[in-house]
């Protein structure tokens, strides 16, 4: 689980800001926490703020951290990712730090880098506990100091060689380099587990991401989608498939895409190709070879009607139904110990549906140590019967144009407080401040 994330000098964050999922001492909604050796971690976090306050930039900072670990600085875009509204920021380091719970133990991993130069300047990994921290490795530029865990008889010579190799890999992280070797030794276990969590268990969903996790249209998918579409009262009563020949199904598709798919399916080892969101209209389809070797297209069809049933293509559905199709596959992740982060969670969704999605998360994830973290403008979630105070966060822009991150816990509000009303009245900040519209005239083009 994610316990804490800190970022410095990235996007709209100039000074170090920390998003902390460590639960407070509150005894309300205890089912919203997971307990590990006397430390409770929150299962959910909801982040509010005005447009351009920095909510999405927090998600981007976590995403940037993940991508750097998986691809290295040389494999990602670092251009002008530093805080740009300060003269000295381009020359300063940017820092990213994660504190994670893995198998009941806690680890702090982070790195600093000059993003313009694509150079890692510092990197560190510690095992942490209430009694203190133990170094697994530390790095300053190309010099790496190994902790006792990596200096066992079995591992010492290997890790000393790997450390020396990093002198020529200034844009690569030591954690990633070790994980890529897939060492089957005890000393590498912690590093491998951290890398695997970041790769497989940290899931980030942006507003335009499509059909996350859906592999193909099959019977299991049909049952799952039908159940949740009914639960969320979308008017969809069943899932069907619309079968078409290849030329009809691809009549509006780019010719280059059509040729590529034909080429892929000419390979005997490839039986189907799944496409998400291609072409001019939103759609989800599978291209496959039938028993005669002919190419066919199977489109996702959504059935409406209680008496007369009609199958509609995805392009005919509302934005809200399409958005649900993006989210429903994530429900499976709630039973797999994943940390799911969704930017602009409420986009195109009814307020009651956003609330029900959270209720569903709490029920499904009860025993799985999963997390759901979202950015949103949906103020109806600001209800202390639904969320704990420490689960509610705000992002606000300060006088120096940088983003500041803080929790509702900072305000020590009563458990029976009407948080939504207080937020909209500006009591906690993190809301838009409008100029006087009387100053705007016809000459301004309105």
């Amino acid at each position: 689980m994610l316990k804490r994330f800190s970022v410095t000098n990235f996007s709209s964050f100039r000074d170090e800001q920390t998003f902390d999922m460590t639960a407070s001492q509150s005894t309300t909604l205890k089912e919203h926490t997971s307990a590990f050796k006397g430390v409770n971690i929150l299962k959910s976090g909801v982040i509010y703020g005005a447009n351009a306050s920095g909510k999405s930039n927090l998600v981007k900072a976590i995403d940037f951290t993940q991508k750097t670990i998986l691809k290295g600085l040389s494999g990602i875009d670092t251009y002008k990712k530093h805080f740009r509204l300060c003269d000295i920021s381009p020359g300063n380091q940017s820092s990213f730090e994660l504190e994670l719970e893995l198998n009941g133990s806690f680890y702090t991993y982070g790195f600093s880098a000059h993003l313009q130069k694509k150079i890692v300047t510092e990197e560190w990994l510690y095992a942490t506990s209430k009694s203190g921290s133990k170094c697994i490795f530390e790095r300053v530029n190309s010099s790496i100091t190994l902790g006792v865990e990596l200096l066992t008889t079995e591992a010492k010579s290997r890790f000393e060689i790997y450390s020396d190799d990093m002198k020529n890999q200034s844009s690569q992280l030591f954690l990633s380099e070790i994980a890529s070797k897939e060492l089957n030794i005890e000393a590498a276990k912690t590093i491998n587990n951290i890398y695997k969590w970041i790769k497989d268990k940290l899931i980030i969903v942006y507003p335009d991401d499509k059909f996350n996790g859906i592999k193909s249209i099959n019977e299991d998918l049909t049952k799952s989608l039908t159940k949740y579409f009914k639960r969320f009262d979308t008017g969809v009563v069943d899932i069907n498939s619309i079968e078409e020949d290849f030329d009809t199904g691809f009549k509006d598709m780019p010719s280059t895409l059509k040729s590529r798919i034909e080429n892929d399916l000419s390979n005997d080892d490839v039986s189907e190709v799944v496409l998400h969101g291609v072409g001019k209209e939103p759609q989800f389809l599978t291209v496959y070879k039938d028993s005669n070797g002919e190419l066919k297209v199977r489109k996702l069809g959504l059935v409406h009607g209680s008496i007369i049933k009609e199958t509609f293509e995805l392009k005919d559905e509302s934005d809200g139904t399409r958005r649900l199709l993006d989210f429903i596959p994530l429900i499976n992740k709630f039973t797999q110990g994943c940390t799911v982060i969704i930017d602009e969670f409420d986009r195109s969704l009814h307020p009651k549906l956003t609330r029900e999605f959270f209720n569903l998360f709490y029920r499904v994830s009860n025993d799985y140590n999963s997390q759901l973290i979202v950015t949103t403008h949906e103020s109806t979630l600001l209800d202390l019967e639904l969320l704990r105070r420490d689960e509610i966060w705000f992002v606000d822009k300060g006088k120096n144009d940088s983003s500041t991150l803080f929790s509702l816990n900072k305000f020590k509000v009563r458990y029976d407080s009407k948080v939504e009303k207080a937020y909209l009245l500006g009591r906690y900040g993190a809301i838009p401040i409008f100029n006087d519209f009387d100053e705007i005239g016809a000459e301004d083009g309105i």
Side-chain angles (χ1 to χ4, degrees):
M1 298 184 79
L2 175 65
K3 185 175 183 289
R4 178 178 56 83
F5 174 74
S6 297
V7 58
T8 307
N9 191 28
F10 179 84
S11 193
S12 61
F13 298 101
R14 187 190 71 172
D15 304 319
E16 182 180 67
Q17 299 297 317
T18 297
F19 177 65
D20 197 341
M21 293 290 285
T22 309
S24 66
Q25 298 299 314
S26 172
T27 58
T28 63
L29 298 173
K30 291 208 71 172
E31 66 273 17
H32 288 201
T33 68
S34 295
F36 305 95
K37 299 178 180 178
V39 178
N40 294 330
I41 300 180
L42 295 167
K43 291 183 178 181
S44 63
V46 182
I47 305 163
Y48 289 88
N51 293 106
S53 62
K55 300 187 306 298
S56 293
N57 288 337
L58 178 64
V59 177
K60 289 175 183 177
I62 298 173
D63 187 31
F64 184 87
T65 304
Q66 182 187 50
K67 284 185 168 62
T68 303
I69 292 167
L70 300 182
K71 300 179 180 181
L73 288 173
S74 60
I76 61 175
D77 178 20
T78 62
Y79 181 66
K80 291 189 175 181
K81 297 296 185 184
H82 58 270
F83 180 72
R84 296 169 60 183
L85 302 179
C86 174
D87 290 339
I88 63 173
S89 291
N92 289 346
Q93 297 180 115
S94 298
S95 296
F96 310 84
E97 185 175 80
L98 297 160
E99 187 173 359
L100 306 176
E101 174 277 324
L102 295 175
N103 302 317
S105 298
F106 294 94
Y107 301 93
T108 298
Y109 171 74
F111 61 90
S112 297
H114 283 299
L115 299 185
Q116 287 189 314
K117 299 177 181 178
K118 291 183 178 285
I119 294 175
V120 177
T121 55
E122 294 180 81
E123 187 181 0
W124 55 93
L125 174 60
Y126 302 99
T128 56
S129 66
K130 286 186 175 181
S131 60
S133 60
K134 179 178 67 174
C135 174
I136 297 175
F137 72 80
E138 292 179 327
R139 170 184 181 180
V140 178
N141 296 318
S142 61
S143 177
I144 297 175
T145 301
L146 302 174
V148 174
E149 187 172 320
L150 305 184
L151 291 174
T152 62
T153 302
E154 177 190 31
K156 180 178 179 181
S157 59
R158 288 191 184 192
F159 280 98
E160 287 178 342
I161 293 171
Y162 300 148
S163 299
D164 192 58
D165 289 344
M166 294 304 295
K167 292 178 180 178
N168 300 315
Q169 301 185 66
S170 60
S171 65
Q172 181 73 358
L173 295 168
F174 187 58
L175 178 102
S176 310
E177 182 67 15
I178 298 302
S180 70
K181 300 183 183 303
E182 300 181 345
L183 300 175
N184 190 24
I185 58 175
E186 187 65 26
K189 186 176 180 181
T190 295
I191 291 176
N192 291 340
N193 286 342
I194 290 172
Y195 183 88
K196 186 176 181 180
W197 186 91
I198 292 167
K199 177 177 179 289
D200 298 331
K201 299 296 185 180
L202 178 59
I203 299 170
I204 298 171
V205 181
Y206 286 108
D208 295 326
D209 288 349
K210 299 298 179 186
F211 315 121
N212 189 1
I214 295 180
K215 302 302 181 187
S216 63
I217 303 171
N218 53 47
E219 186 176 351
D220 289 340
L221 173 68
T222 297
K223 290 180 180 178
S224 177
L225 289 180
T226 301
K227 178 177 69 174
Y228 287 115
F229 275 131
K230 286 182 178 179
R231 181 188 187 97
F232 291 125
D233 193 27
T234 61
V236 176
V237 298
D238 202 355
I239 303 295
N240 202 349
S241 59
I242 302 170
E243 303 285 340
E244 296 178 340
D245 63 75
F246 185 64
D247 288 335
T248 301
F250 265 66
K251 64 182 179 181
D252 296 323
M253 300 292 182
S255 58
T256 52
L257 176 62
K258 183 177 178 180
S259 297
R260 180 172 65 80
I261 290 173
E262 288 176 317
N263 182 64
D264 288 345
L265 289 171
S266 67
N267 187 336
D268 291 337
D269 295 331
V270 180
S271 61
E272 66 178 30
V273 175
V274 180
L275 297 173
H276 299 171
V278 295
K280 298 178 181 179
E281 300 285 353
Q283 57 186 313
F284 173 72
L285 54 86
T286 301
V287 185
Y288 66 98
K289 290 182 286 189
D290 67 10
S291 57
N292 297 318
E294 297 293 325
L295 296 188
K296 300 290 184 180
V297 174
R298 181 184 299 121
K299 293 182 178 180
L300 180 68
L302 305 178
V303 181
H304 290 258
S306 56
I307 300 174
I308 299 176
K309 290 182 169 49
E310 183 70 25
T311 301
F312 293 81
E313 290 189 34
L314 187 60
K315 66 181 181 180
D316 301 319
E317 295 292 341
S318 69
D319 288 341
T321 299
R322 296 176 195 168
R323 184 68 163 154
L324 270 179
L325 186 60
D326 302 336
F327 285 170
I328 288 173
L330 291 172
I331 296 171
N332 289 332
K333 301 298 182 181
F334 297 158
T335 62
Q336 298 173 20
C338 294
T339 294
V340 178
I341 302 175
I342 304 175
D343 190 25
E344 295 187 25
F345 169 67
D346 57 304
R347 197 191 70 172
S348 302
L349 298 181
H350 190 278
K352 289 187 69 175
L353 200 153
T354 61
R355 186 184 183 100
E356 180 58 23
F357 195 86
F358 261 86
N359 283 326
L360 179 63
F361 164 74
Y362 293 130
R363 286 193 291 272
V364 170
S365 66
N366 190 39
D367 299 319
Y368 297 99
N369 296 333
S370 294
Q371 292 172 299
L372 176 62
I373 300 168
V374 306
T375 71
T376 184
H377 292 292
E378 183 47 68
S379 62
T380 58
L381 295 177
L382 289 169
D383 182 347
L384 295 183
E385 292 184 1
L386 176 70
L387 297 171
R388 293 162 52 106
R389 294 181 305 186
D390 48 7
E391 292 177 291
I392 299 170
W393 285 76
F394 303 104
V395 182
D396 204 3
K397 278 282 185 75
K399 292 182 179 179
N400 60 7
D401 295 313
S402 66
S403 298
T404 302
L405 187 63
F406 51 95
S407 168
L408 179 63
N409 246 9
K410 168 183 175 182
F411 298 93
K412 306 298 182 184
V413 300
R414 289 166 51 96
Y415 295 110
D416 58 352
S417 296
K418 301 298 182 184
V419 178
E420 178 186 11
K421 181 178 180 181
Y423 170 64
L424 294 175
L425 288 172
R427 190 166 300 170
Y428 312 125
I431 61 170
I433 303 298
F434 303 113
N435 291 324
D436 189 349
F437 283 106
D438 290 340
E439 297 176 3
I440 300 175
E443 66 274 11
D444 295 301
I446 297 178

